Amino acid sequence: MHFSNWQNKCTAIWLVLLTVVALTLAIAWLKKDIHIQTNIFALLPETQQNPELAKTQQYMSDQLNQKVFVVLESKNQQSLEQATQLFEKQLQQNELWQPLKPQLDLEQFSKQLYLHRAGLLSQQDREYLQQQDYQALTEQSLMQLMSVGMPITAESLQQDPLMLFPRYMLNVATQQASDNIELEHGFATIHDDQQISRLLVLELKQSPYNIDYQEQVTAWTEQIQQQLATLQVRSHWTGTILFSNFGTQSAKQEISTIGFGSTIGLILLVWFGFHSFRPLLTEFIAVSTGSLLAFAVTHLVFGEIHLMTLVFGASLIGVCVDFSFYFMAMQSQHRQMNGFRILRPLLPSLFMGLMTTVVAYIFLSFTPFPAFRQIAVFSIIGLVAAWVTSVLLLPRLPALNAQPAIRHLAWIGQAREWFQQHHKVRYGLIFGVIVLGGLSLLFLQSNDDIRNLQSMDAKLKQQDQYIRSRFAQQQSSDYFVVHGKTSAELEQHEAKLIHQLQALKNQSKLESFQALGQWIPPLAQQQHNVQLLQQIPETALRSYATSLGLNLSDILLWQQQLKQQPLLNEQIFQQHPLAFLQVSPTERLVMLNGVQDNTDLLALQNDDVTLQQPVSELSALFKQHRIQAESLLIYALLGLAIILGLVYGKRSVMPLVLPVSLALLSTFAVQAWMGVEINLFSIMGTFLIIGIGVDYAIFYRHGHDHPQVVGMALFLCMMSTLLGFGLLSLSQTYAIHCFGITVLLGVIFSFIYATLLTPSDQEHIVNLQEH
């Protein structure tokens, strides 16, 4: 009676706590203080690098993430122009986008360059001047004058008598050339025999990871695609917000699928086990309270909660029903006894089952990945809360009839008894699993590519690849960061890097690169160019003037005024598509495309030039943490062994740890046979297997006087776990799929080996008759 009274007090306290938490969350939701994170890369650990580089990497990420790239294709120019005008009009009429801007107002930009032409020379002209080969320089100008299609006016000859500026522009255009791309009205355009393609760059007004904004943008894009179709214009789209929205919708769909699948499966499972739907209500209450507290604590600790955490949280039901199935199966054998009398002798095994799972999640929280720390906290709080709810609720309810299910599953207990009696067969099974599993591990492959994190829609991926193939000048994920203590030093470092990259490009080790220095020579170089022009002797200029019939005094006046003319600087480039490469007065970026060999690029690094390859670096980090997690897995097994040894004695360690160890070995062996590549998520799935697998062994160890009942209860537990986590193997997100398939195999093997190999413990018998 004292226990029951204590139970009533605990129940009252528990209900008050749940009510306070529910009200707090409701108020926070109404105030919009609940933050749901959808950025898949927010799950990743911060790279170990200096703060400046991390800041630059974030800058680059923002530059790309805030854009959507659209390619319009039409068979005639008129339709393409109408489509462009449609975009301009639609973007001005809503609040989703920044106004559409041409990538470059070529006419205005050329005027600005022309006004600052004094120090701009092509590489060839600069070499002629340095070699004082003035005859070759003037011959170059004469040939240019006689070339067909080169418009030359008296005014232009007066302002640029040697025609240096057109050659500079031609030189830069050659360096920047990308197939047959040309600018029309400031937009990159390609004319083919079959069609005309035009690239539009749209800029977002909000974060691409804002769920409401994603839905609004998606609705807008679907609407404008229909309007484009009426103009007979096809469109291709790519951008972070489109991939992020697909990931969000996939996650929502998977939550629904997992929830629906788990619910239907659990309904059938519960009816089979207890011929009643009442356990569904009790499990719903337990899972709801667990999820409620888990959500509140996780959000409090991290300041937000990730959508992927909720996906895994939806599978929480697969774990927390284990305790209640075990209790209800035992209670069905003593239907006349008080529920709390039945609970008391079961509490040690139920509590240890909870603790082993919690310990596994605690080890999971040691990883540097924010994703797993969040999932670990969510799961620990959720499991504990669901366990408390079950312990306080279930003993108050009358016993259910599990006898039909026990009879149908009697073969599990019979198989267990047969294996326990035939020691040679049992040892042979253990030996065979160790040998075959160990050999299979030699063929196990890993895949640590970070891009596997994001679920990829085949159509979106195809459109992204198409846009990149058509307009190859789009930002790559690889780039150099160039620093300098002063602007002049920065320009010198960049100029040297450009020279080295040009050499790699000529050797076909690099497809192309983009740098401001290709357009803007260092200020010191421009000043030197002016000096070289001023050093041209009057005799050379006289000869040139005579050849063209020009007034020598005009040419000499041009030469004298060079010193007073303004030089080109990055301020002129603020409207240029490459303006983003100027991060600060002492920092610039150099974008790389078509990298063939990292070795050559790494050799160019020094204190002021750093190569950044975010995808490769994160994948390497992913691999590093997978290897660390594999070590952590061993520590988790050792930690559990020590805890179990302290609680049950040294002799109990091997019987309780062996089944789950064999299950892990078999899981990886089967994945090796299936050709499944493991990654960090596969390893993290094993932590869940450890917790669940040891639970099975503990229940068998304690309940040897009820082998048929325990076998039936644990079969239901295994099936419920498969309905939760096993369904994750159907996920479109490769990372979640790997987690799901690992847990699916691991739980099945854990149940089989715990059933067949775990001997009974005479010292820790659950004898309800004594209570």
Side-chain angles (χ1 to χ4, degrees), residues 10-126:
C10 288
T11 302
I13 295 171
W14 188 242
L15 288 173
V16 170
L17 175 63
L18 291 175
T19 303
V20 171
V21 171
L23 289 173
T24 304
L25 280 179
I27 293 171
W29 183 266
L30 291 174
K31 289 184 175 180
K32 297 185 177 180
D33 290 335
I34 300 296
H35 303 290
I36 308 294
Q37 174 64 263
T38 63
N39 180 4
I40 198 75
F41 293 104
L43 300 172
L44 302 175
E46 294 182 4
T47 52
Q48 301 298 318
Q49 60 184 18
N50 67 59
E52 287 299 320
L53 283 178
K55 186 177 177 181
T56 302
Q57 199 169 92
Q58 183 61 47
Y59 167 83
M60 269 300 299
S61 177
D62 292 342
Q63 286 290 323
L64 191 57
N65 291 344
Q66 289 298 121
K67 292 182 174 64
V68 171
F69 301 94
V70 185
V71 169
L72 303 178
E73 292 184 337
S74 176
K75 292 184 178 180
N76 65 78
Q77 188 76 32
Q78 183 180 358
S79 296
L80 190 63
E81 297 302 337
Q82 289 176 342
T84 306
Q85 292 169 10
L86 173 65
F87 264 92
E88 291 176 335
K89 182 179 177 182
Q90 289 285 350
L91 293 178
Q92 287 175 353
Q93 291 177 350
N94 66 67
E95 296 297 320
L96 296 177
W97 307 91
Q98 302 286 357
L100 181 64
K101 298 178 182 177
Q103 294 162 36
L104 180 64
D105 187 337
L106 191 59
E107 184 178 350
Q108 184 63 31
F109 181 69
S110 298
K111 287 179 180 178
Q112 287 292 328
L113 281 182
Y114 190 73
L115 292 174
H116 299 78
R117 66 187 179 278
L120 303 180
L121 293 175
S122 69
Q123 183 63 31
Q124 185 69 66
D125 286 346
R126 180 176 168 81

Side-chain angles (χ1 to χ4, degrees), residues 201-404:
V201 182
L202 315 184
E203 290 193 36
L204 307 178
K205 275 192 174 181
Q206 298 183 37
S207 167
Y209 306 111
N210 182 314
I211 297 177
D212 293 336
Y213 186 56
Q214 288 175 3
E215 293 175 352
Q216 292 172 2
V217 167
T218 302
W220 182 87
T221 56
E222 290 175 355
Q223 178 186 356
I224 201 167
Q225 282 175 0
Q226 294 174 358
Q227 295 175 337
L228 290 172
T230 61
L231 297 174
Q232 297 184 333
V233 174
R234 288 187 300 157
S235 61
H236 304 270
W237 302 67
T238 189
T240 300
I241 193 170
L242 303 179
F243 285 102
S244 182
N245 181 62
F246 177 79
T248 301
Q249 299 307 318
S250 296
K252 286 182 177 180
Q253 185 178 357
E254 286 169 13
I255 290 173
S256 301
T257 303
I258 291 167
F260 179 77
S262 296
T263 302
I264 296 298
L266 196 61
I267 288 173
L268 298 175
L269 198 64
V270 165
W271 182 257
F272 169 77
F274 302 102
H275 282 261
S276 170
F277 293 126
R278 192 193 75 192
L280 292 175
L281 178 61
T282 57
E283 291 315 311
F284 175 77
I285 294 172
V287 173
S288 298
T289 56
S291 299
L292 179 73
L293 278 178
F295 189 99
V297 173
T298 305
H299 197 279
L300 179 65
V301 172
F302 295 94
E304 63 181 17
I305 192 164
H306 201 284
L307 200 60
M308 188 177 282
T309 302
L310 298 179
V311 173
F312 282 93
S315 306
L316 194 61
I317 191 171
V319 178
C320 63
V321 295
D322 291 9
F323 315 120
S324 57
F325 280 170
Y326 183 59
F327 171 80
M328 288 187 293
M330 285 295 191
Q331 187 187 29
S332 72
Q333 301 302 293
H334 307 277
R335 304 179 70 177
Q336 304 306 317
M337 291 179 63
N338 180 278
F340 293 120
R341 285 189 63 193
I342 297 172
L343 178 65
R344 288 185 68 181
L346 296 179
L347 264 180
S349 57
L350 289 174
F351 181 74
M352 283 305 298
L354 171 68
M355 285 299 101
T356 54
T357 307
V358 167
V359 167
Y361 278 119
I362 288 174
F363 274 94
L364 184 64
S365 69
F366 290 159
T367 66
F369 273 64
F372 295 121
R373 287 201 296 270
Q374 242 191 56
I375 291 167
V377 171
F378 190 96
S379 300
I380 290 170
I381 301 300
L383 282 171
V384 171
W387 185 88
V388 171
T389 299
S390 298
V391 165
L392 295 177
L393 174 64
L394 293 177
R396 300 178 183 279
L397 304 175
L400 297 173
N401 181 19
Q403 208 57 43

Side-chain angles (χ1 to χ4, degrees), residues 531-549:
Q531 292 176 2
L532 291 174
L533 290 172
Q534 288 180 315
Q535 291 171 5
I536 300 176
E538 183 179 334
T539 53
L541 296 176
R542 184 187 301 277
S543 175
Y544 177 69
T546 302
S547 301
L548 288 181

